[in-house]
Amino acid sequence: FLRPLAIVLPLLAVACGPLYYTPNPDTNPMEPIIEFQSAASVNLVNGQPSTEERQYWGEKDGPGGAFANYNAWTDAAIAIADRELSNRGISITNDADKSLKLAITFVKTTATILTLEYKTIVKMKVETGNGYAAEYAGINKSFYWFDLKRQSDGAVMRTVVAMLQDQKIIDYLTSP
């Protein structure tokens, strides 16, 4: 009974009309990252200029589906980074000498009906004030039960985890 229901529910969600979703930075607990402390200040900048709603789930140009505003999703990633960096002694201020420019650049949710695996992938580009740039991916999967919002929230959180696991980012944030 659950297997057919797990297939039908996502299809109904897509068919019922579009979903415009912005991740909630507080849905998922933060996964463990490398511990570090710093008395530095950093400016967290939203580097995603586009506010266009882009489809990330559902049939392309079909009815329903889910849409992401990459600028708003970047704000969610910034909220997670703000919280985690503040927990490590870093002050978040607009006039800091150091900066991290974040930009969500890709969001996609896929379903593999054969295995009933639902997967959301989020990619985020980050640039430091000293010129280092990298792209991070966050992936959140679920099996048998489709929860697009929770998957999206978790994938954004995992992009921030990946950024805060990068030793070059940590060195930048902890250097004098």
Side-chain angles (χ1 to χ4, degrees), residues 97-164:
D97 291 335
K98 295 181 181 188
S99 66
L100 292 177
K101 183 176 8 172
L102 287 66
I104 298 291
T105 59
F106 178 83
V107 180
K108 184 72 177 171
T109 295
T110 57
T112 306
I113 299 300
L114 184 61
T115 61
L116 291 179
E117 176 185 86
Y118 302 98
K119 178 169 63 173
T120 300
I121 301 170
V122 174
K123 293 182 182 177
M124 179 174 70
K125 183 178 179 184
V126 177
E127 296 177 33
T128 65
N130 67 355
Y132 175 70
E135 183 176 72
Y136 307 97
I139 299 170
N140 204 16
K141 297 179 186 179
S142 67
F143 297 94
Y144 295 106
W145 194 251
F146 183 69
D147 188 342
L148 185 66
K149 292 178 181 181
R150 186 169 179 80
Q151 280 180 228
S152 300
D153 297 351
V156 170
M157 178 268 297
R158 288 183 171 147
T159 62
V160 177
V161 167
M163 174 186 74
L164 295 178

Short mmCIF file of all heavy atoms in Angstrom, two decimals, residues 97-164:
data_model
loop_
_atom_site.label_atom_id
_atom_site.label_comp_id
_atom_site.label_asym_id
_atom_site.label_seq_id
_atom_site.Cartn_x
_atom_site.Cartn_y
_atom_site.Cartn_z
N ASP A 97 36.54 43.51 7.19
CA ASP A 97 37.61 43.44 6.19
C ASP A 97 37.53 42.15 5.37
O ASP A 97 37.93 42.12 4.22
CB ASP A 97 38.98 43.51 6.87
CG ASP A 97 39.27 44.89 7.45
OD1 ASP A 97 38.68 45.88 6.96
OD2 ASP A 97 40.07 44.97 8.39
N LYS A 98 37.03 41.09 5.98
CA LYS A 98 36.90 39.80 5.29
C LYS A 98 35.48 39.66 4.77
O LYS A 98 34.53 40.16 5.37
CB LYS A 98 37.23 38.64 6.23
CG LYS A 98 38.67 38.65 6.69
CD LYS A 98 38.95 37.48 7.60
CE LYS A 98 40.40 37.54 8.05
NZ LYS A 98 40.80 36.36 8.78
N SER A 99 35.36 38.92 3.66
CA SER A 99 34.02 38.68 3.11
C SER A 99 33.93 37.30 2.49
O SER A 99 34.93 36.75 2.00
CB SER A 99 33.66 39.74 2.07
OG SER A 99 34.50 39.63 0.94
N LEU A 100 32.74 36.76 2.52
CA LEU A 100 32.39 35.55 1.81
C LEU A 100 31.20 35.89 0.94
O LEU A 100 30.16 36.32 1.43
CB LEU A 100 32.00 34.41 2.76
CG LEU A 100 33.08 33.82 3.65
CD1 LEU A 100 32.47 32.77 4.58
CD2 LEU A 100 34.19 33.20 2.82
N LYS A 101 31.37 35.73 -0.38
CA LYS A 101 30.27 35.97 -1.31
C LYS A 101 29.71 34.62 -1.71
O LYS A 101 30.40 33.80 -2.32
CB LYS A 101 30.74 36.75 -2.53
CG LYS A 101 29.58 37.07 -3.46
CD LYS A 101 29.85 37.92 -4.69
CE LYS A 101 31.21 38.27 -5.07
NZ LYS A 101 31.27 38.95 -6.40
N LEU A 102 28.45 34.37 -1.37
CA LEU A 102 27.79 33.10 -1.64
C LEU A 102 26.78 33.28 -2.75
O LEU A 102 26.14 34.34 -2.84
CB LEU A 102 27.06 32.60 -0.39
CG LEU A 102 27.88 32.04 0.77
CD1 LEU A 102 28.73 33.09 1.43
CD2 LEU A 102 26.97 31.41 1.79
N ALA A 103 26.62 32.25 -3.59
CA ALA A 103 25.61 32.28 -4.64
C ALA A 103 25.15 30.86 -4.95
O ALA A 103 25.95 30.04 -5.40
CB ALA A 103 26.16 32.93 -5.91
N ILE A 104 23.88 30.59 -4.69
CA ILE A 104 23.30 29.32 -5.14
C ILE A 104 23.23 29.39 -6.66
O ILE A 104 22.71 30.36 -7.22
CB ILE A 104 21.90 29.10 -4.54
CG1 ILE A 104 21.95 29.02 -3.01
CG2 ILE A 104 21.23 27.86 -5.14
CD1 ILE A 104 22.62 27.82 -2.42
N THR A 105 23.77 28.39 -7.34
CA THR A 105 23.84 28.41 -8.80
C THR A 105 23.06 27.28 -9.47
O THR A 105 22.91 27.28 -10.69
CB THR A 105 25.31 28.32 -9.25
OG1 THR A 105 25.89 27.10 -8.74
CG2 THR A 105 26.11 29.52 -8.77
N PHE A 106 22.59 26.30 -8.68
CA PHE A 106 21.91 25.15 -9.27
C PHE A 106 21.05 24.49 -8.21
O PHE A 106 21.49 24.30 -7.07
CB PHE A 106 22.95 24.15 -9.79
CG PHE A 106 22.37 22.89 -10.36
CD1 PHE A 106 21.93 22.86 -11.68
CD2 PHE A 106 22.27 21.73 -9.60
CE1 PHE A 106 21.40 21.69 -12.22
CE2 PHE A 106 21.75 20.56 -10.14
CZ PHE A 106 21.31 20.55 -11.45
N VAL A 107 19.82 24.13 -8.58
CA VAL A 107 18.92 23.37 -7.71
C VAL A 107 18.15 22.39 -8.59
O VAL A 107 17.60 22.79 -9.62
CB VAL A 107 17.91 24.29 -6.97
CG1 VAL A 107 17.00 23.46 -6.08
CG2 VAL A 107 18.61 25.37 -6.17
N LYS A 108 18.12 21.12 -8.18
CA LYS A 108 17.38 20.13 -8.96
C LYS A 108 16.92 19.01 -8.04
O LYS A 108 17.69 18.51 -7.21
CB LYS A 108 18.28 19.53 -10.06
CG LYS A 108 17.60 18.56 -10.98
CD LYS A 108 16.66 19.28 -11.91
CE LYS A 108 16.02 18.32 -12.90
NZ LYS A 108 14.96 18.95 -13.65
N THR A 109 15.66 18.63 -8.17
CA THR A 109 15.13 17.46 -7.48
C THR A 109 14.76 16.43 -8.51
O THR A 109 14.13 16.75 -9.52
CB THR A 109 13.91 17.82 -6.61
OG1 THR A 109 14.34 18.70 -5.57
CG2 THR A 109 13.29 16.59 -5.98
N THR A 110 15.18 15.19 -8.27
CA THR A 110 14.87 14.10 -9.19
C THR A 110 14.22 12.96 -8.41
O THR A 110 14.38 12.85 -7.19
CB THR A 110 16.14 13.57 -9.88
OG1 THR A 110 17.08 13.16 -8.88
CG2 THR A 110 16.77 14.63 -10.77
N ALA A 111 13.50 12.14 -9.14
CA ALA A 111 12.87 10.96 -8.55
C ALA A 111 13.23 9.75 -9.39
O ALA A 111 13.16 9.80 -10.61
CB ALA A 111 11.36 11.13 -8.51
N THR A 112 13.63 8.70 -8.72
CA THR A 112 13.87 7.42 -9.37
C THR A 112 12.76 6.49 -8.89
O THR A 112 12.81 5.97 -7.77
CB THR A 112 15.26 6.87 -9.00
OG1 THR A 112 16.23 7.86 -9.29
CG2 THR A 112 15.57 5.60 -9.78
N ILE A 113 11.75 6.35 -9.72
CA ILE A 113 10.56 5.61 -9.32
C ILE A 113 10.87 4.15 -9.02
O ILE A 113 10.32 3.57 -8.09
CB ILE A 113 9.45 5.73 -10.41
CG1 ILE A 113 9.06 7.19 -10.60
CG2 ILE A 113 8.24 4.89 -10.05
CD1 ILE A 113 8.53 7.89 -9.37
N LEU A 114 11.79 3.55 -9.77
CA LEU A 114 12.10 2.13 -9.56
C LEU A 114 12.56 1.86 -8.13
O LEU A 114 12.15 0.88 -7.51
CB LEU A 114 13.17 1.68 -10.56
CG LEU A 114 13.53 0.21 -10.55
CD1 LEU A 114 12.31 -0.66 -10.87
CD2 LEU A 114 14.64 -0.08 -11.53
N THR A 115 13.41 2.73 -7.59
CA THR A 115 13.91 2.54 -6.23
C THR A 115 13.20 3.44 -5.23
O THR A 115 13.49 3.38 -4.03
CB THR A 115 15.42 2.85 -6.15
OG1 THR A 115 15.63 4.20 -6.54
CG2 THR A 115 16.21 1.91 -7.04
N LEU A 116 12.30 4.30 -5.71
CA LEU A 116 11.61 5.27 -4.87
C LEU A 116 12.60 6.17 -4.12
O LEU A 116 12.42 6.46 -2.95
CB LEU A 116 10.66 4.58 -3.90
CG LEU A 116 9.45 3.94 -4.57
CD1 LEU A 116 8.57 3.26 -3.53
CD2 LEU A 116 8.64 4.97 -5.33
N GLU A 117 13.62 6.59 -4.83
CA GLU A 117 14.60 7.52 -4.25
C GLU A 117 14.31 8.92 -4.79
O GLU A 117 14.19 9.12 -5.98
CB GLU A 117 16.02 7.12 -4.63
CG GLU A 117 17.05 8.11 -4.12
CD GLU A 117 18.44 7.80 -4.59
OE1 GLU A 117 18.80 8.23 -5.70
OE2 GLU A 117 19.15 7.12 -3.85
N TYR A 118 14.21 9.85 -3.88
CA TYR A 118 14.03 11.26 -4.23
C TYR A 118 15.29 11.99 -3.79
O TYR A 118 15.76 11.81 -2.66
CB TYR A 118 12.80 11.82 -3.52
CG TYR A 118 11.56 11.04 -3.87
CD1 TYR A 118 11.09 10.05 -3.02
CD2 TYR A 118 10.89 11.27 -5.06
CE1 TYR A 118 9.96 9.31 -3.34
CE2 TYR A 118 9.76 10.54 -5.39
CZ TYR A 118 9.31 9.56 -4.53
OH TYR A 118 8.20 8.83 -4.86
N LYS A 119 15.86 12.80 -4.69
CA LYS A 119 17.14 13.43 -4.40
C LYS A 119 17.10 14.91 -4.80
O LYS A 119 16.68 15.23 -5.91
CB LYS A 119 18.24 12.71 -5.16
CG LYS A 119 19.62 13.31 -4.98
CD LYS A 119 20.72 12.42 -5.53
CE LYS A 119 20.62 12.19 -7.01
NZ LYS A 119 21.77 11.46 -7.56
N THR A 120 17.53 15.77 -3.89
CA THR A 120 17.67 17.20 -4.19
C THR A 120 19.15 17.55 -4.13
O THR A 120 19.84 17.21 -3.17
CB THR A 120 16.87 18.06 -3.19
OG1 THR A 120 15.49 17.70 -3.29
CG2 THR A 120 17.03 19.54 -3.49
N ILE A 121 19.60 18.21 -5.18
CA ILE A 121 20.99 18.66 -5.28
C ILE A 121 20.99 20.19 -5.34
O ILE A 121 20.24 20.78 -6.12
CB ILE A 121 21.68 18.10 -6.53
CG1 ILE A 121 21.67 16.58 -6.51
CG2 ILE A 121 23.11 18.64 -6.65
CD1 ILE A 121 22.12 15.95 -7.82
N VAL A 122 21.84 20.81 -4.53
CA VAL A 122 22.02 22.26 -4.54
C VAL A 122 23.51 22.52 -4.71
O VAL A 122 24.33 21.90 -4.03
CB VAL A 122 21.51 22.90 -3.23
CG1 VAL A 122 21.83 24.38 -3.18
CG2 VAL A 122 20.01 22.69 -3.08
N LYS A 123 23.85 23.44 -5.60
CA LYS A 123 25.24 23.85 -5.77
C LYS A 123 25.37 25.33 -5.41
O LYS A 123 24.49 26.13 -5.73
CB LYS A 123 25.72 23.63 -7.20
CG LYS A 123 25.79 22.15 -7.56
CD LYS A 123 26.31 21.94 -8.96
CE LYS A 123 26.32 20.46 -9.31
NZ LYS A 123 26.76 20.25 -10.70
N MET A 124 26.49 25.65 -4.74
CA MET A 124 26.72 27.01 -4.29
C MET A 124 28.17 27.41 -4.58
O MET A 124 29.10 26.68 -4.24
CB MET A 124 26.45 27.12 -2.79
CG MET A 124 26.69 28.51 -2.21
SD MET A 124 26.18 28.62 -0.47
CE MET A 124 27.42 27.60 0.33
N LYS A 125 28.33 28.55 -5.20
CA LYS A 125 29.65 29.11 -5.44
C LYS A 125 29.98 30.07 -4.30
O LYS A 125 29.11 30.82 -3.85
CB LYS A 125 29.69 29.87 -6.77
CG LYS A 125 31.04 30.42 -7.11
CD LYS A 125 31.04 31.11 -8.46
CE LYS A 125 32.43 31.68 -8.74
NZ LYS A 125 32.47 32.44 -9.98
N VAL A 126 31.23 30.01 -3.83
CA VAL A 126 31.68 30.88 -2.75
C VAL A 126 32.99 31.52 -3.15
O VAL A 126 33.88 30.84 -3.67
CB VAL A 126 31.85 30.10 -1.42
CG1 VAL A 126 32.38 31.02 -0.32
CG2 VAL A 126 30.53 29.46 -1.00
N GLU A 127 33.10 32.82 -2.91
CA GLU A 127 34.34 33.55 -3.15
C GLU A 127 34.73 34.27 -1.87
O GLU A 127 33.89 34.92 -1.24
CB GLU A 127 34.15 34.58 -4.27
CG GLU A 127 33.83 33.99 -5.62
CD GLU A 127 33.57 35.06 -6.67
OE1 GLU A 127 34.19 36.14 -6.61
OE2 GLU A 127 32.71 34.81 -7.54
N THR A 128 36.02 34.15 -1.51
CA THR A 128 36.51 34.89 -0.35
C THR A 128 37.02 36.26 -0.79
O THR A 128 37.27 36.48 -1.98
CB THR A 128 37.67 34.14 0.34
OG1 THR A 128 38.78 34.09 -0.58
CG2 THR A 128 37.27 32.73 0.75
N GLY A 129 37.18 37.14 0.17
CA GLY A 129 37.68 38.48 -0.12
C GLY A 129 39.11 38.50 -0.62
O GLY A 129 39.55 39.49 -1.20
N ASN A 130 39.84 37.38 -0.43
CA ASN A 130 41.23 37.34 -0.92
C ASN A 130 41.36 36.58 -2.23
O ASN A 130 42.46 36.23 -2.64
CB ASN A 130 42.17 36.77 0.16
CG ASN A 130 41.92 35.30 0.46
OD1 ASN A 130 40.99 34.69 -0.06
ND2 ASN A 130 42.77 34.74 1.31
N GLY A 131 40.22 36.29 -2.89
CA GLY A 131 40.28 35.73 -4.23
C GLY A 131 40.10 34.23 -4.37
O GLY A 131 40.04 33.71 -5.49
N TYR A 132 40.00 33.49 -3.28
CA TYR A 132 39.75 32.05 -3.38
C TYR A 132 38.30 31.83 -3.78
O TYR A 132 37.39 32.47 -3.25
CB TYR A 132 40.06 31.37 -2.05
CG TYR A 132 39.72 29.89 -2.03
CD1 TYR A 132 40.46 28.98 -2.77
CD2 TYR A 132 38.66 29.42 -1.27
CE1 TYR A 132 40.15 27.62 -2.74
CE2 TYR A 132 38.35 28.07 -1.23
CZ TYR A 132 39.10 27.18 -1.98
OH TYR A 132 38.79 25.84 -1.96
N ALA A 133 38.05 30.90 -4.71
CA ALA A 133 36.69 30.57 -5.13
C ALA A 133 36.55 29.06 -5.24
O ALA A 133 37.48 28.38 -5.67
CB ALA A 133 36.36 31.23 -6.47
N ALA A 134 35.40 28.57 -4.86
CA ALA A 134 35.11 27.14 -4.95
C ALA A 134 33.60 26.95 -5.07
O ALA A 134 32.83 27.85 -4.74
CB ALA A 134 35.63 26.41 -3.72
N GLU A 135 33.22 25.77 -5.56
CA GLU A 135 31.81 25.42 -5.64
C GLU A 135 31.57 24.20 -4.76
O GLU A 135 32.38 23.28 -4.74
CB GLU A 135 31.39 25.10 -7.08
CG GLU A 135 29.91 24.81 -7.19
CD GLU A 135 29.45 24.59 -8.63
OE1 GLU A 135 29.79 23.53 -9.19
OE2 GLU A 135 28.78 25.48 -9.16
N TYR A 136 30.46 24.23 -4.04
CA TYR A 136 30.11 23.16 -3.11
C TYR A 136 28.75 22.61 -3.48
O TYR A 136 27.89 23.34 -3.97
CB TYR A 136 30.09 23.69 -1.67
CG TYR A 136 31.37 24.39 -1.30
CD1 TYR A 136 31.47 25.78 -1.39
CD2 TYR A 136 32.48 23.67 -0.91
CE1 TYR A 136 32.65 26.43 -1.09
CE2 TYR A 136 33.68 24.32 -0.61
CZ TYR A 136 33.75 25.69 -0.70
OH TYR A 136 34.93 26.32 -0.40
N ALA A 137 28.57 21.32 -3.23
CA ALA A 137 27.28 20.68 -3.51
C ALA A 137 26.71 20.10 -2.23
O ALA A 137 27.44 19.56 -1.40
CB ALA A 137 27.44 19.58 -4.55
N GLY A 138 25.42 20.25 -2.09
CA GLY A 138 24.69 19.63 -0.99
C GLY A 138 23.65 18.70 -1.59
O GLY A 138 22.91 19.09 -2.49
N ILE A 139 23.62 17.46 -1.12
CA ILE A 139 22.68 16.47 -1.63
C ILE A 139 21.87 15.94 -0.46
O ILE A 139 22.43 15.59 0.58
CB ILE A 139 23.42 15.31 -2.33
CG1 ILE A 139 24.23 15.85 -3.51
CG2 ILE A 139 22.43 14.24 -2.78
CD1 ILE A 139 25.17 14.83 -4.13
N ASN A 140 20.57 15.89 -0.64
CA ASN A 140 19.70 15.32 0.38
C ASN A 140 18.76 14.33 -0.30
O ASN A 140 18.08 14.68 -1.25
CB ASN A 140 18.91 16.43 1.08
CG ASN A 140 18.45 16.03 2.46
OD1 ASN A 140 18.94 15.07 3.05
ND2 ASN A 140 17.51 16.77 3.00
N LYS A 141 18.76 13.10 0.18
CA LYS A 141 17.96 12.02 -0.41
C LYS A 141 16.91 11.54 0.59
O LYS A 141 17.10 11.66 1.80
CB LYS A 141 18.83 10.81 -0.75
CG LYS A 141 19.88 11.04 -1.78
CD LYS A 141 20.67 9.76 -1.98
CE LYS A 141 21.83 9.95 -2.90
NZ LYS A 141 22.60 8.72 -3.08
N SER A 142 15.85 11.01 0.04
CA SER A 142 14.89 10.30 0.87
C SER A 142 14.38 9.10 0.09
O SER A 142 14.39 9.11 -1.14
CB SER A 142 13.72 11.20 1.29
OG SER A 142 12.94 11.55 0.17
N PHE A 143 13.97 8.09 0.80
CA PHE A 143 13.45 6.89 0.17
C PHE A 143 12.01 6.67 0.63
O PHE A 143 11.70 6.89 1.80
CB PHE A 143 14.31 5.67 0.56
CG PHE A 143 15.72 5.78 0.06
CD1 PHE A 143 16.72 6.30 0.85
CD2 PHE A 143 16.03 5.39 -1.23
CE1 PHE A 143 18.03 6.41 0.38
CE2 PHE A 143 17.33 5.49 -1.71
CZ PHE A 143 18.32 6.00 -0.91
N TYR A 144 11.16 6.32 -0.27
CA TYR A 144 9.77 5.95 -0.01
C TYR A 144 8.87 7.13 0.33
O TYR A 144 7.68 7.07 0.12
CB TYR A 144 9.64 4.88 1.09
CG TYR A 144 10.26 3.59 0.69
CD1 TYR A 144 11.47 3.18 1.23
CD2 TYR A 144 9.65 2.78 -0.26
CE1 TYR A 144 12.04 1.98 0.85
CE2 TYR A 144 10.22 1.58 -0.65
CZ TYR A 144 11.41 1.19 -0.09
OH TYR A 144 11.98 0.01 -0.48
N TRP A 145 9.37 8.17 0.89
CA TRP A 145 8.50 9.29 1.27
C TRP A 145 9.07 10.57 0.69
O TRP A 145 10.21 10.90 0.89
CB TRP A 145 8.38 9.40 2.79
CG TRP A 145 7.26 10.29 3.15
CD1 TRP A 145 7.35 11.53 3.68
CD2 TRP A 145 5.87 10.06 2.98
NE1 TRP A 145 6.11 12.08 3.85
CE2 TRP A 145 5.18 11.18 3.42
CE3 TRP A 145 5.14 8.99 2.48
CZ2 TRP A 145 3.79 11.27 3.39
CZ3 TRP A 145 3.76 9.09 2.45
CH2 TRP A 145 3.11 10.22 2.91
N PHE A 146 8.24 11.31 0.01
CA PHE A 146 8.65 12.51 -0.69
C PHE A 146 8.35 13.73 0.16
O PHE A 146 7.20 14.00 0.48
CB PHE A 146 7.89 12.58 -2.02
CG PHE A 146 8.29 13.73 -2.89
CD1 PHE A 146 9.53 13.77 -3.49
CD2 PHE A 146 7.40 14.77 -3.11
CE1 PHE A 146 9.88 14.82 -4.32
CE2 PHE A 146 7.75 15.82 -3.94
CZ PHE A 146 8.98 15.84 -4.54
N ASP A 147 9.36 14.45 0.58
CA ASP A 147 9.19 15.69 1.34
C ASP A 147 10.08 16.75 0.71
O ASP A 147 11.22 16.96 1.11
CB ASP A 147 9.55 15.46 2.81
CG ASP A 147 9.21 16.66 3.69
OD1 ASP A 147 9.01 17.77 3.16
OD2 ASP A 147 9.16 16.48 4.92
N LEU A 148 9.56 17.38 -0.32
CA LEU A 148 10.33 18.32 -1.13
C LEU A 148 10.92 19.45 -0.29
O LEU A 148 12.08 19.82 -0.46
CB LEU A 148 9.45 18.90 -2.24
CG LEU A 148 10.14 19.80 -3.24
CD1 LEU A 148 11.16 19.03 -4.05
CD2 LEU A 148 9.11 20.44 -4.17
N LYS A 149 10.15 19.98 0.64
CA LYS A 149 10.63 21.10 1.45
C LYS A 149 11.79 20.67 2.34
O LYS A 149 12.82 21.32 2.38
CB LYS A 149 9.49 21.70 2.27
CG LYS A 149 8.45 22.38 1.41
CD LYS A 149 7.31 22.93 2.25
CE LYS A 149 6.27 23.58 1.36
NZ LYS A 149 5.16 24.13 2.16
N ARG A 150 11.63 19.57 3.05
CA ARG A 150 12.69 19.09 3.94
C ARG A 150 13.94 18.71 3.14
O ARG A 150 15.06 18.97 3.57
CB ARG A 150 12.19 17.92 4.77
CG ARG A 150 13.20 17.47 5.81
CD ARG A 150 12.55 16.48 6.79
NE ARG A 150 13.51 16.03 7.77
CZ ARG A 150 13.87 16.69 8.85
NH1 ARG A 150 13.36 17.87 9.10
NH2 ARG A 150 14.76 16.19 9.68
N GLN A 151 13.74 18.08 1.99
CA GLN A 151 14.89 17.74 1.14
C GLN A 151 15.63 18.99 0.71
O GLN A 151 16.86 19.04 0.70
CB GLN A 151 14.43 16.98 -0.10
CG GLN A 151 14.18 15.53 0.15
CD GLN A 151 13.74 14.83 -1.10
OE1 GLN A 151 12.76 14.11 -1.05
NE2 GLN A 151 14.43 15.01 -2.20
N SER A 152 14.88 20.01 0.32
CA SER A 152 15.50 21.26 -0.13
C SER A 152 16.25 21.93 1.01
O SER A 152 17.38 22.38 0.84
CB SER A 152 14.42 22.21 -0.68
OG SER A 152 13.74 21.62 -1.76
N ASP A 153 15.61 22.00 2.18
CA ASP A 153 16.26 22.60 3.35
C ASP A 153 17.57 21.88 3.68
O ASP A 153 18.59 22.51 3.95
CB ASP A 153 15.33 22.53 4.57
CG ASP A 153 14.04 23.32 4.42
OD1 ASP A 153 13.90 24.07 3.43
OD2 ASP A 153 13.16 23.17 5.29
N GLY A 154 17.53 20.54 3.66
CA GLY A 154 18.72 19.75 3.98
C GLY A 154 19.82 19.91 2.96
O GLY A 154 21.01 19.96 3.31
N ALA A 155 19.46 20.02 1.69
CA ALA A 155 20.49 20.18 0.65
C ALA A 155 21.18 21.54 0.79
O ALA A 155 22.40 21.64 0.63
CB ALA A 155 19.86 20.03 -0.73
N VAL A 156 20.43 22.59 1.11
CA VAL A 156 21.05 23.91 1.33
C VAL A 156 21.98 23.85 2.55
O VAL A 156 23.11 24.34 2.51
CB VAL A 156 19.99 25.02 1.48
CG1 VAL A 156 20.62 26.32 1.94
CG2 VAL A 156 19.25 25.23 0.17
N MET A 157 21.51 23.23 3.63
CA MET A 157 22.35 23.11 4.83
C MET A 157 23.65 22.38 4.49
O MET A 157 24.73 22.78 4.91
CB MET A 157 21.58 22.35 5.92
CG MET A 157 22.36 22.11 7.21
SD MET A 157 23.24 20.53 7.27
CE MET A 157 21.91 19.35 7.20
N ARG A 158 23.55 21.36 3.66
CA ARG A 158 24.75 20.59 3.34
C ARG A 158 25.73 21.36 2.44
O ARG A 158 26.92 21.06 2.45
CB ARG A 158 24.36 19.25 2.73
CG ARG A 158 23.79 18.32 3.79
CD ARG A 158 23.44 16.97 3.28
NE ARG A 158 23.11 16.11 4.42
CZ ARG A 158 22.22 15.14 4.37
NH1 ARG A 158 21.59 14.87 3.23
NH2 ARG A 158 21.98 14.42 5.43
N THR A 159 25.25 22.34 1.67
CA THR A 159 26.20 23.17 0.92
C THR A 159 27.02 24.01 1.89
O THR A 159 28.22 24.21 1.68
CB THR A 159 25.51 24.10 -0.11
OG1 THR A 159 24.66 25.01 0.55
CG2 THR A 159 24.78 23.33 -1.16
N VAL A 160 26.36 24.50 2.94
CA VAL A 160 27.08 25.29 3.95
C VAL A 160 28.05 24.40 4.72
O VAL A 160 29.19 24.81 4.99
CB VAL A 160 26.10 26.02 4.90
CG1 VAL A 160 26.85 26.77 5.99
CG2 VAL A 160 25.21 26.98 4.11
N VAL A 161 27.64 23.18 5.03
CA VAL A 161 28.55 22.23 5.69
C VAL A 161 29.79 22.03 4.82
O VAL A 161 30.93 22.09 5.31
CB VAL A 161 27.85 20.88 5.95
CG1 VAL A 161 28.86 19.80 6.33
CG2 VAL A 161 26.80 21.02 7.04
N ALA A 162 29.59 21.81 3.52
CA ALA A 162 30.72 21.59 2.62
C ALA A 162 31.65 22.80 2.61
O ALA A 162 32.88 22.66 2.64
CB ALA A 162 30.22 21.28 1.21
N MET A 163 31.08 24.02 2.58
CA MET A 163 31.90 25.23 2.60
C MET A 163 32.72 25.31 3.89
O MET A 163 33.92 25.61 3.86
CB MET A 163 31.00 26.47 2.49
CG MET A 163 31.76 27.79 2.65
SD MET A 163 30.69 29.23 2.68
CE MET A 163 29.95 29.11 4.32
N LEU A 164 32.08 25.00 5.02
CA LEU A 164 32.77 25.12 6.31
C LEU A 164 33.66 23.92 6.62
O LEU A 164 34.30 23.89 7.66
CB LEU A 164 31.74 25.34 7.43
CG LEU A 164 30.98 26.66 7.33
CD1 LEU A 164 29.94 26.77 8.44
CD2 LEU A 164 31.93 27.86 7.35
#
